[in-house]
């Protein structure tokens, strides 16, 4: 079994595990499966759950694509690989809950190989959380789980990849982070294949333990029109980030991927409002004042 086959086997299993857990968590809706093929090589399977009791929309996509030339988005930081053949395998997910007190979340786990004579490979991925009405205990749980996933591979990795997440999921035109962060990593290969793959699995296996308890704690929280309207407004930031900055979206579109599968990360309902500002000292202002900026969450006591 080749290296990429090992990763593919793990990621397919991870997709199954996450989908099964989300269906149980939702208790109502089920994922629809949509297999697709890419004309230039490869394909995948998109799984989408809609109009559930807990999740308004949840998407978990697997893809394995290959081609003769790396897309520009994949070589922006690796210009030496421009024009090389490539293979990419990955799982990407975004969950948009119905209840505004349950955060949106995103995760991605991927493996690239490029070139034939002297192939270069690397892992990338991570997970992040986008709350609308944050609970500090949830933020601490999320980051503690992320830190625990990194710890066996080095004491400095959590801080490094947490900072990278804060930097990456940052909307420059809004001067705010997308949410409260998590982990983001790319170009992981220095430790060799076995240890690098073990790190990817550790982070991948940590996603459900990080997210599921938060959903279970907040799903029955009462909400009204005000909270729902704010959730839809803040989802607009998610759209802005994915269409302006997200590498995965750009890679999928530039590599000739399936558009519906690439854009399933977008929320099913969203709104924008011109020059909206939260009322001072309101729950909505709390998000802006305390959570949409990088913070050393695990070093703070409040």
């Amino acid at each position: 079994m080749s290296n990429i086959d090992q990763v593919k086997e793990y990621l397919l299993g991870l997709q199954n595990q996450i989908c099964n857990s989300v269906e149980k968590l939702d208790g109502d809706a089920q994922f629809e499966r949509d297999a697709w093929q890419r004309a230039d090589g490869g394909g995948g399977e998109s799984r989408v759950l809609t109009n559930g009791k807990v999740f308004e929309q949840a998407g978990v996509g697997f893809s394995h694509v290959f081609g003769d030339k790396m897309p520009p988005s994949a070589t922006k930081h690796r210009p030496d690989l421009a024009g090389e053949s490539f293979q990419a395998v990955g799982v990407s997910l975004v969950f948009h809950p119905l209840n505004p007190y349950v955060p949106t979340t995103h995760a991605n786990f991927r493996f690239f190989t490029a070139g034939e004579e002297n192939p270069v490979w690397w892992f990338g991925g991570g997970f992040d959380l986008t709350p609308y009405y944050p609970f500090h205990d949830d933020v601490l749980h999320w980051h503690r789980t992320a830190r625990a996933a990194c710890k066996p591979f080095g004491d400095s990795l959590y801080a490094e990849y947490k900072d990278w997440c804060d930097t990456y999921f940052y909307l420059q035109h809004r001067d705010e982070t997308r949410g409260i962060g998590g982990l983001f990593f790319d170009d992981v290969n220095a430790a060799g294949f076995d240890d690098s793959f073990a790190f990817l699995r550790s982070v991948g296996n940590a996603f459900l333990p990080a997210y599921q308890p938060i959903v279970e704690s907040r799903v029955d929280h009462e909400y009204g029109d005000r909270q729902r309207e704010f959730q839809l407004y803040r989802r607009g930031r998610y759209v802005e980030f994915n269409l302006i900055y997200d590498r995965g979206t750009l890679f999928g579109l530039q590599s000739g991927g399936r558009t519906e599968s690439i854009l399933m990360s977008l929320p099913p309902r969203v709104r924008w409002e011109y020059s909206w500002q939260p009322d001072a000292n309101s729950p909505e202002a709390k998000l802006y004042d305390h959570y949409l900026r990088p913070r050393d969450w695990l070093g703070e006591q409040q």
Side-chain angles (χ1 to χ4, degrees):
M1 181 183 290
S2 69
N3 287 350
I4 198 166
D5 289 335
Q6 295 177 51
V7 181
K8 184 175 181 178
E9 181 179 47
Y10 167 71
L11 292 176
L12 285 169
L14 184 64
Q15 184 187 35
N16 286 332
Q17 179 189 11
I18 292 174
C19 287
N20 291 340
S21 296
V22 168
E23 286 182 346
K24 292 179 181 178
L25 193 59
D26 188 88
D28 187 15
Q30 294 185 326
F31 283 94
E32 294 186 7
R33 301 187 179 198
D34 186 12
W36 54 274
Q37 297 294 319
R38 177 175 173 271
D40 293 331
E45 183 178 83
S46 300
R47 300 184 188 178
V48 181
L49 179 153
T50 57
N51 299 318
K53 183 170 62 176
V54 175
F55 297 100
E56 190 170 8
Q57 181 170 297
V60 186
F62 168 84
S63 64
H64 178 197
V65 299
F66 46 86
D68 296 329
K69 186 177 180 180
M70 292 274 283
S73 62
T75 59
K76 182 178 180 180
H77 301 282
R78 300 289 295 270
D80 55 307
L81 299 178
E84 295 283 1
S85 62
F86 75 95
Q87 288 196 70
V89 60
V91 163
S92 183
L93 64 87
V94 176
F95 300 158
H96 293 290
L98 181 62
N99 190 319
Y101 288 95
V102 180
T104 287
T105 191
H106 157 266
N108 178 270
F109 311 100
R110 59 190 180 271
F111 178 70
F112 273 80
T113 64
E116 295 181 1
E117 293 185 5
N118 297 296
V120 177
W121 58 265
W122 67 93
F123 291 93
F127 51 63
D128 65 285
L129 195 70
T130 306
Y132 307 98
Y133 291 93
F135 294 84
H136 202 72
D137 287 347
D138 294 347
V139 176
L140 295 180
H141 165 76
W142 181 260
H143 279 279
R144 284 169 179 159
T145 307
R147 182 176 62 183
C150 296
K151 190 171 180 57
F153 303 91
D155 291 337
S156 66
L157 284 189
Y158 163 72
E160 178 183 349
Y161 294 148
K162 183 265 184 193
D163 289 347
W164 200 350
C165 187
D166 290 336
T167 301
Y168 180 71
F169 292 107
Y170 184 78
L171 288 84
Q172 298 179 19
H173 63 288
R174 298 285 190 180
D175 192 25
E176 64 189 40
T177 57
R178 188 169 79 173
I180 57 88
L183 300 172
F184 181 89
F185 56 92
D186 207 354
D187 299 318
V188 173
N189 58 17
F193 178 82
D194 289 343
D195 287 347
S196 299
F197 186 22
F199 172 72
L200 181 87
R201 296 196 305 271
S202 183
V203 178
N205 295 341
F207 170 73
L208 281 173
Y211 187 59
Q212 186 166 332
I214 296 174
V215 178
E216 293 171 338
S217 296
R218 310 304 170 193
V219 69
D220 293 325
H221 199 294
E222 293 185 4
Y223 67 92
D225 291 342
R226 171 177 175 153
Q227 291 79 23
R228 176 65 169 163
E229 288 295 297
F230 182 63
Q231 176 199 47
L232 297 182
Y233 175 75
R234 287 299 309 175
R235 281 180 177 178
R237 301 293 205 268
Y238 218 88
V239 175
E240 291 174 18
F241 180 87
N242 279 24
L243 296 184
I244 297 173
Y245 301 113
D246 187 66
R247 291 185 195 172
T249 301
L250 292 174
F251 174 82
L253 295 174
Q254 292 174 356
S255 64
R258 184 170 180 267
T259 301
E260 287 299 310
S261 299
I262 297 165
L263 298 183
M264 73 178 183
S265 63
L266 299 180
R269 296 182 183 182
V270 65
R271 74 180 186 91
W272 280 267
E273 182 175 334
Y274 180 75
S275 196
W276 182 87
Q277 296 292 329
D279 294 334
N281 302 316
S282 66
E284 293 78 16
K286 182 179 179 181
L287 173 71
Y288 287 82
D289 294 340
H290 298 288
Y291 290 94
L292 297 183
R293 57 184 176 87
R295 289 172 62 175
D296 178 15
W297 300 106
L298 300 185
E300 299 180 359
Q301 300 301 316
Q302 56 185 6

